[in-house]
């Protein structure tokens, strides 16, 4: 039997996860990202155990994070037989990931403000909004 070291979340990790969720990320995505930032080289099985997630949740989260280029993946031959095991690690430092998140949220805010201005202008044109 092979013994493995599994990393679990600290209170600080849970706070970071909660803040990412507040920013609009799914909890499972946040858990996988924080897990990989705390333990840089992990297999799907390690993430499942350490983040307390099921395999489909981990697969969806890793696909999302791979598409955002925040993590990278490589195949590791587990033994002499069978399929290679995927190993994941952060592709960027957390500061760069945070900068990506900040830029995304700023863009969302700009788009919302543009919609508010368009609504205001349209309401004036239709006579719904009376000038003060």
């Amino acid at each position: 039997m092979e013994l493995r070291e599994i990393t679990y979340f600290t209170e600080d990790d849970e706070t970071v996860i909660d803040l990412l969720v507040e920013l609009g990320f799914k909890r499972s995505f946040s858990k996988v990202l924080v897990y990989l930032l705390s333990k840089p080289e992990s297999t799907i099985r390690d993430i499942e155990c350490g983040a307390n997630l099921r395999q489909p949740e981990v697969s969806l989260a890793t696909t999302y994070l791979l598409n955002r280029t925040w993590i990278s993946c490589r195949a590791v031959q587990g033994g002499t037989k069978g399929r290679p095991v995927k190993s994941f690690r952060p592709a960027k430092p957390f500061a760069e990931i945070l900068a990506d998140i900040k830029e995304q949220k700023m863009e969302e805010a700009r788009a919302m403000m543009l919609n508010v201005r368009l609504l205001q202008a349209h309401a004036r044109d239709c006579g719904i909004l009376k000038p003060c």
Side-chain angles (χ1 to χ4, degrees):
M1 178 185 224
E2 179 184 337
L3 293 177
R4 299 162 108 174
E5 184 179 315
I6 303 294
T7 302
Y8 294 98
F9 295 127
T10 64
E11 244 181 78
D12 291 335
D13 294 337
E14 290 288 347
T15 301
V16 171
I17 291 167
D18 291 340
L19 289 170
L20 286 168
V21 170
E22 286 287 322
L23 286 171
F25 293 94
K26 289 186 177 182
R27 182 163 290 281
S28 59
F29 298 177
S30 302
K31 281 184 165 189
V32 171
L33 179 62
V34 170
Y35 186 86
L36 289 173
L37 290 168
S38 64
K39 187 176 179 216
E41 187 83 24
S42 301
T43 64
I44 291 238
R45 184 72 185 127
D46 293 339
I47 298 168
E48 285 175 31
C49 293
N52 195 24
L53 296 170
R54 296 174 302 121
Q55 188 273 330
E57 294 171 311
V58 174
S59 292
L60 285 172
T62 53
T63 300
Y64 174 80
L65 296 171
L66 283 167
N67 289 338
R68 300 222 41 185
T69 66
W70 290 351
I71 65 171
S72 61
C73 175
R74 69 183 181 98
V76 178
Q77 190 63 36
T80 57
K81 294 183 179 181
R83 294 176 61 168
V85 176
K86 290 182 179 178
S87 178
F88 297 92
R89 64 176 162 225
K92 297 179 178 181
F94 188 61
E96 287 182 34
I97 293 171
L98 197 53
D100 288 350
I101 293 170
K102 182 179 176 182
E103 183 57 37
Q104 174 192 352
K105 293 303 173 183
M106 293 291 283
E107 188 59 40
E108 288 174 9
R110 281 191 285 272
M112 284 183 154
M113 288 307 298
L114 177 62
N115 284 339
V116 167
R117 285 188 207 110
L118 290 172
L119 177 62
Q120 189 177 27
H122 188 69
R124 262 194 219 114
D125 292 346
C126 293
I128 298 172
L129 183 65
K130 310 251 188 278
C132 297

